[in-house]
Amino acid sequence: MSLLESAVQFVFIALSVASVYLLVALGLSIVFGSLQFINMAHGALYLIGAYVGLLVGYEIEFGGLLASYGLSPLGIELGFLAALVVTPVVVFGLGVVMERLLADPLYDRSLLDQLLVTFGILLIFQEGFNLVFGRTGFNYPRPGWASGPVLIPGVGAVSRWRAYVVFLTLVFLGIIIAFYKYTDYGLAVRAGTEDTEMTELLGIRIGRPFLLIFAIGASYAGLAGILGGSLFGVNAGMGFANIIPALVIVIMGGVGSIKGTTVGALLAGFVFATVTQLWPSMATASIYALAIVILTVRPSGIYPTGEIGQ
């Protein structure tokens, strides 16, 4: 393998890791920035997305209560592509329910209260999934079109699936930017974030756009669950393992800033991939070390003055 091919493969590994972090962090950032709501239960949406994808796409031999009651194997076997389409829709619906039942009663509470309550919800989901599905991890069987290498002329081969993960993330990043810039709902969210009272005095009902942006963030977490699960495997602890780095990325990039979150995720992805090669046990800790360095230099984040959705 040539040095150039090794370098390109490393870049795709880093970009695919950054992609999963970005999709989770985007939802967390826009909800935190727009609604002033810190939602650690966002990790539960990531977890749910991974398991919904498994159930939609495949028939899986689960453990836990499902096995105890003879309900395993379980799944509707529609395939990987169907899981990619159906899962974000399902998690979007769950996001609506979560906003109404969990977030709305907490909007006027302190950030500490929000953090503690939503973190508790995440832990409940984690243990609930352990109980229902068992503690064994699962892998996403990839279809032929998503497996194997893809050849880049003059460079060499890179993982086809990692290339798809990066491409899908770019598409969804473009969609959320377009939503903010070119839709009435996006403009309402931006206006409501700047001055909720004035926006409502102008006759704009801000509740519905805020609900929509919350649900969109949830659907991104669900999509990340499939993409992350296919790269790193699926287990009930994946939501907890991902949400802390995602929160660090949001703070590092600048709360509410899509540009800052994207840059933060890229930095985290490259640092994570580099340290994984050199010192695997310190890979996740390296993201926190990166955040310490950045926040020491820029205490308010990389893009502290970025408007919501920018």
Side-chain angles (χ1 to χ4, degrees), residues 5-277:
E5 184 175 2
S6 297
V8 172
Q9 287 188 357
F10 170 79
V11 168
F12 270 89
I13 290 172
L15 288 176
S16 60
V17 172
S19 296
V20 175
Y21 280 137
L22 176 60
L23 288 173
V24 177
L26 274 176
L28 197 62
S29 181
I30 57 182
V31 169
F32 196 0
S34 302
L35 307 176
Q36 298 298 300
F37 180 69
I38 182 167
N39 184 21
M40 301 302 283
H42 198 71
L45 297 170
Y46 174 71
L47 169 64
I48 291 169
Y51 277 82
V52 169
L54 278 179
L55 290 168
V56 171
Y58 309 99
E59 188 177 54
I60 301 293
E61 191 78 38
F62 292 108
L65 290 178
L66 290 176
S68 300
Y69 286 96
L71 298 175
S72 184
L74 184 65
I76 52 180
E77 293 186 282
L78 295 180
F80 192 73
L81 191 58
L84 272 176
V85 175
V86 172
T87 300
V89 176
V90 171
V91 183
F92 179 95
L94 292 174
V96 172
V97 175
M98 179 179 282
E99 199 278 342
R100 292 290 89 179
L101 299 182
L102 173 66
D104 190 55
L106 291 173
Y107 283 148
D108 294 329
R109 303 289 291 271
S110 69
L111 289 180
L112 180 60
D113 287 351
Q114 295 172 2
L115 189 148
L116 291 175
V117 171
T118 56
F119 192 69
I121 296 292
L122 170 60
L123 294 181
I124 290 171
F125 269 93
Q126 177 177 305
E127 292 309 310
F129 273 61
N130 272 328
L131 182 66
V132 174
F133 297 101
R135 296 182 182 276
T136 306
F138 308 96
N139 292 316
Y140 269 92
R142 296 178 196 164
W145 58 266
S147 303
V150 58
L151 293 176
I152 300 177
V155 176
V158 299
S159 165
R160 186 186 303 274
W161 179 237
R162 289 187 185 277
Y164 277 133
V165 168
V166 174
F167 172 75
L168 285 171
T169 302
L170 288 174
V171 169
F172 280 88
L173 179 61
I175 290 173
I176 194 69
I177 292 173
F179 170 83
Y180 273 112
K181 284 186 175 295
Y182 304 116
T183 69
D184 292 341
Y185 276 107
L187 294 174
V189 170
R190 292 169 62 185
T193 303
E194 291 293 324
D195 192 330
T196 302
E197 186 176 348
M198 179 60 71
T199 303
E200 290 182 331
L201 285 174
L202 292 173
I204 299 173
R205 297 177 61 186
I206 199 63
R208 190 170 297 174
F210 278 170
L211 171 61
L212 179 61
I213 200 65
F214 191 104
I216 290 174
S219 69
Y220 275 45
L223 179 67
I226 295 183
L227 301 185
S230 66
L231 290 174
F232 311 122
V234 176
N235 60 74
M238 61 188 293
F240 179 84
N242 193 283
I243 194 64
I244 304 296
L247 179 61
V248 169
I249 288 169
V250 169
I251 296 172
M252 188 167 59
V255 174
S257 168
I258 292 177
K259 183 164 53 177
T261 303
T262 303
V263 173
L266 284 172
L267 290 173
F270 274 90
V271 168
F272 183 94
T274 302
V275 177
T276 298
Q277 299 289 325

